[in-house]
Protein backbone atom coordinates (compact mmCIF):
# COMPACT_ATOMS: atom_id res chain seq x y z
CA UNK A 1 0.00 0.00 0.00
CA UNK A 2 1.33 3.43 -0.96
CA UNK A 3 2.23 5.82 1.81
CA UNK A 4 -0.17 8.74 2.19
CA UNK A 5 1.24 12.23 1.54
CA UNK A 6 -0.11 13.33 4.96
CA UNK A 7 -0.25 12.14 8.55
CA UNK A 8 -2.22 13.02 11.64
CA UNK A 9 -1.17 16.44 12.96
CA UNK A 10 -0.73 15.90 16.69
CA UNK A 11 2.18 18.17 17.64
CA UNK A 12 3.30 21.58 16.35
CA UNK A 13 6.83 20.19 15.90
CA UNK A 14 5.58 17.99 13.04
CA UNK A 15 5.33 21.09 10.84
CA UNK A 16 8.27 22.14 8.73
CA UNK A 17 6.98 25.68 8.28
CA UNK A 18 6.43 28.37 10.87
CA UNK A 19 3.04 29.17 9.31
CA UNK A 20 1.69 25.62 9.73
CA UNK A 21 3.02 25.54 13.33
CA UNK A 22 1.32 28.87 14.14
CA UNK A 23 -1.99 27.74 12.64
CA UNK A 24 -1.83 24.47 14.61
CA UNK A 25 -1.09 26.33 17.86
CA UNK A 26 -4.00 28.71 17.19
CA UNK A 27 -6.29 25.75 16.38
CA UNK A 28 -5.32 24.11 19.70
CA UNK A 29 -6.54 27.25 21.50
CA UNK A 30 -9.96 26.82 19.83
CA UNK A 31 -10.40 23.21 21.04
CA UNK A 32 -13.06 22.51 23.66
CA UNK A 33 -12.97 19.44 25.92
CA UNK A 34 -10.40 17.76 23.66
CA UNK A 35 -12.59 18.18 20.57
CA UNK A 36 -12.29 20.55 17.61
CA UNK A 37 -13.44 24.06 18.48
CA UNK A 38 -16.45 25.65 16.82
CA UNK A 39 -16.06 27.30 13.43
CA UNK A 40 -17.60 30.47 14.82
CA UNK A 41 -14.67 30.71 17.28
CA UNK A 42 -12.23 31.24 14.38
CA UNK A 43 -11.26 34.91 14.40
CA UNK A 44 -9.19 36.01 11.39
CA UNK A 45 -7.87 39.02 13.31
CA UNK A 46 -5.96 36.60 15.55
CA UNK A 47 -3.91 35.18 12.63
CA UNK A 48 -3.62 38.09 10.16
CA UNK A 49 -0.23 37.04 8.76
CA UNK A 50 -1.69 33.66 7.74
CA UNK A 51 -4.87 34.84 6.00
CA UNK A 52 -3.57 34.84 2.42
CA UNK A 53 -2.50 31.19 2.82
CA UNK A 54 -5.71 29.90 4.45
CA UNK A 55 -8.70 27.96 3.20
CA UNK A 56 -11.96 27.83 5.13
CA UNK A 57 -14.82 25.52 4.36
CA UNK A 58 -17.35 22.92 5.30
CA UNK A 59 -17.36 19.13 5.16
CA UNK A 60 -20.78 17.70 4.35
CA UNK A 61 -20.97 14.01 5.34
CA UNK A 62 -23.94 12.65 3.36
CA UNK A 63 -23.34 12.73 0.50
CA UNK A 64 -19.71 13.48 1.25
CA UNK A 65 -18.72 16.85 -0.18
CA UNK A 66 -16.24 19.59 0.65
CA UNK A 67 -17.28 23.22 0.16
CA UNK A 68 -14.71 26.01 0.06
CA UNK A 69 -16.06 29.16 1.68
CA UNK A 70 -12.81 31.05 1.25
CA UNK A 71 -9.51 30.53 -0.53
CA UNK A 72 -6.85 33.03 0.53
CA UNK A 73 -5.25 35.25 -2.08
CA UNK A 74 -1.98 33.27 -2.18
CA UNK A 75 -3.92 30.00 -2.50
CA UNK A 76 -6.00 31.44 -5.36
CA UNK A 77 -2.88 32.78 -7.10
CA UNK A 78 -1.05 29.46 -6.73
CA UNK A 79 -4.05 27.49 -8.03
CA UNK A 80 -4.62 30.15 -10.68
CA UNK A 81 -8.28 30.02 -9.66
CA UNK A 82 -10.20 31.58 -6.79
CA UNK A 83 -12.28 28.53 -5.90
CA UNK A 84 -14.12 30.24 -3.03
CA UNK A 85 -17.75 29.18 -3.31
CA UNK A 86 -16.99 25.90 -5.10
CA UNK A 87 -17.27 22.29 -4.05
CA UNK A 88 -14.13 20.16 -4.26
CA UNK A 89 -15.81 17.74 -6.67
CA UNK A 90 -16.28 20.62 -9.15
CA UNK A 91 -12.50 21.19 -9.33
CA UNK A 92 -10.11 19.42 -11.67
CA UNK A 93 -6.69 19.09 -10.05
CA UNK A 94 -5.95 15.50 -11.15
CA UNK A 95 -2.55 15.02 -12.74
CA UNK A 96 -1.36 18.17 -10.99
CA UNK A 97 -1.52 17.39 -7.25
CA UNK A 98 -0.12 14.29 -5.56
CA UNK A 99 -2.76 14.51 -2.81
CA UNK A 100 -6.16 12.99 -3.41
CA UNK A 101 -7.92 15.83 -1.62
CA UNK A 102 -11.31 14.09 -1.19
CA UNK A 103 -9.59 11.22 0.67
CA UNK A 104 -7.66 13.72 2.78
CA UNK A 105 -10.85 15.51 3.86
CA UNK A 106 -12.59 12.16 4.47
CA UNK A 107 -9.74 11.23 6.82
CA UNK A 108 -10.05 14.54 8.70
CA UNK A 109 -13.81 14.13 9.01
CA UNK A 110 -13.75 10.47 10.05
CA UNK A 111 -10.99 10.84 12.63
CA UNK A 112 -11.88 14.38 13.76
CA UNK A 113 -8.18 15.19 13.76
CA UNK A 114 -6.02 17.44 11.64
CA UNK A 115 -3.48 16.30 9.08
CA UNK A 116 -0.19 17.71 7.86
CA UNK A 117 1.60 16.74 4.69
CA UNK A 118 3.39 17.59 1.50
CA UNK A 119 1.66 18.08 -1.83
CA UNK A 120 3.77 17.58 -4.95
CA UNK A 121 2.62 19.55 -7.98
CA UNK A 122 3.77 18.16 -11.31
CA UNK A 123 3.42 19.35 -14.86
CA UNK A 124 5.19 18.60 -18.16
CA UNK A 125 8.75 19.77 -18.75
CA UNK A 126 9.30 21.07 -15.21
CA UNK A 127 10.60 19.61 -11.97
CA UNK A 128 7.83 18.98 -9.43
CA UNK A 129 7.21 21.60 -6.76
CA UNK A 130 6.38 20.65 -3.18
CA UNK A 131 4.66 22.59 -0.45
CA UNK A 132 3.48 21.87 3.05
CA UNK A 133 -0.22 21.88 3.88
CA UNK A 134 -2.38 21.25 6.92
CA UNK A 135 -6.13 20.67 7.31
CA UNK A 136 -7.64 21.11 10.78
CA UNK A 137 -11.26 20.30 11.66
CA UNK A 138 -13.69 22.68 13.32
CA UNK A 139 -17.11 21.91 14.78
CA UNK A 140 -20.17 23.00 12.78
CA UNK A 141 -23.81 22.25 13.49
CA UNK A 142 -23.03 19.53 16.04
CA UNK A 143 -20.58 17.77 13.69
CA UNK A 144 -17.12 17.86 15.37
CA UNK A 145 -15.45 17.98 11.93
CA UNK A 146 -18.19 19.67 9.90
CA UNK A 147 -15.92 22.57 9.02
CA UNK A 148 -12.20 23.13 8.58
CA UNK A 149 -9.40 25.60 8.43
CA UNK A 150 -6.48 24.71 6.19
CA UNK A 151 -3.19 26.25 5.14
CA UNK A 152 -0.95 25.86 2.12
CA UNK A 153 2.59 27.20 2.58
CA UNK A 154 4.31 28.27 -0.63
CA UNK A 155 7.04 30.39 0.97
CA UNK A 156 9.92 28.24 -0.33
CA UNK A 157 8.64 28.19 -3.94
CA UNK A 158 9.81 30.42 -6.76
CA UNK A 159 6.87 32.76 -7.44
CA UNK A 160 7.99 33.11 -11.07
CA UNK A 161 7.01 29.48 -11.70
CA UNK A 162 3.37 29.96 -10.73
CA UNK A 163 2.46 31.42 -14.12
CA UNK A 164 3.89 28.31 -15.79
CA UNK A 165 1.96 25.82 -13.70
CA UNK A 166 -1.24 24.15 -14.82
CA UNK A 167 -4.21 25.80 -13.20
CA UNK A 168 -6.89 24.15 -11.15
CA UNK A 169 -10.00 24.21 -13.32
CA UNK A 170 -13.70 23.98 -12.78
CA UNK A 171 -15.20 20.95 -14.50
CA UNK A 172 -17.65 22.00 -17.22
CA UNK A 173 -21.28 21.56 -16.25
CA UNK A 174 -22.85 18.80 -18.21
Amino acid sequence: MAELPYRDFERAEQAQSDKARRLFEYWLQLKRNGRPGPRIAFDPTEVPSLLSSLLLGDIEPDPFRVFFRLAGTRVAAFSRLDFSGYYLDALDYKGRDSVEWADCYRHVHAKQIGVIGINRVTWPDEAPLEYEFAVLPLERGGDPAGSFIAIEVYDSLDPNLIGEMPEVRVFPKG
Side-chain angles (χ1 to χ4, degrees):
M1 186 167 130
E3 184 177 325
L4 293 174
Y6 52 85
R7 63 192 183 285
D8 291 349
F9 199 179
E10 300 169 311
R11 297 174 327 283
E13 303 79 47
Q14 291 175 265
Q16 296 173 9
S17 68
D18 180 59
K19 284 183 177 180
R21 270 190 299 279
R22 286 194 334 237
L23 181 64
F24 182 79
E25 289 165 351
Y26 174 70
W27 176 77
L28 285 176
Q29 294 173 19
L30 300 178
K31 288 181 88 167
R32 304 287 182 263
N33 302 318
R35 298 181 66 181
R39 181 181 77 194
I40 60 171
F42 170 71
D43 181 355
T45 65
E46 294 184 10
V47 289
S49 64
L50 303 180
L51 291 179
S52 65
S53 301
L54 294 183
L55 299 117
L56 298 169
D58 297 331
I59 301 174
E60 301 172 4
D62 189 25
F64 188 87
R65 292 185 87 189
V66 176
F67 181 74
F68 295 102
R69 293 193 171 280
L70 175 72
T73 54
R74 290 192 82 190
V75 175
F78 186 82
S79 301
R80 300 179 58 211
L81 173 71
D82 180 358
F83 50 90
S84 302
Y86 284 95
Y87 280 96
L88 177 62
D89 57 14
L91 304 177
D92 181 8
Y93 56 87
K94 304 269 192 277
R96 172 192 147 113
D97 291 6
S98 64
V99 175
E100 177 43 67
W101 292 110
D103 291 346
C104 179
Y105 284 99
R106 272 189 184 88
H107 179 91
V108 168
H109 189 260
K111 292 189 78 177
Q112 301 171 11
I113 191 167
V115 297
I116 187 154
I118 300 292
N119 184 33
R120 173 177 280 164
V121 179
T122 57
W123 71 100
D125 303 324
E126 293 292 337
L129 297 177
E130 294 183 344
Y131 66 86
E132 186 172 51
F133 71 91
V135 180
L136 302 164
L138 295 170
E139 183 275 331
R140 179 181 64 94
D143 182 342
S147 192
F148 65 88
I149 185 168
I151 192 164
E152 296 186 350
V153 184
Y154 314 122
D155 295 353
S156 64
L157 303 181
D158 179 352
N160 296 318
L161 288 178
I162 292 174
E164 305 292 322
M165 294 174 50
E167 63 264 306
V168 173
R169 296 186 178 175
V170 177
F171 283 117
K173 295 185 187 218

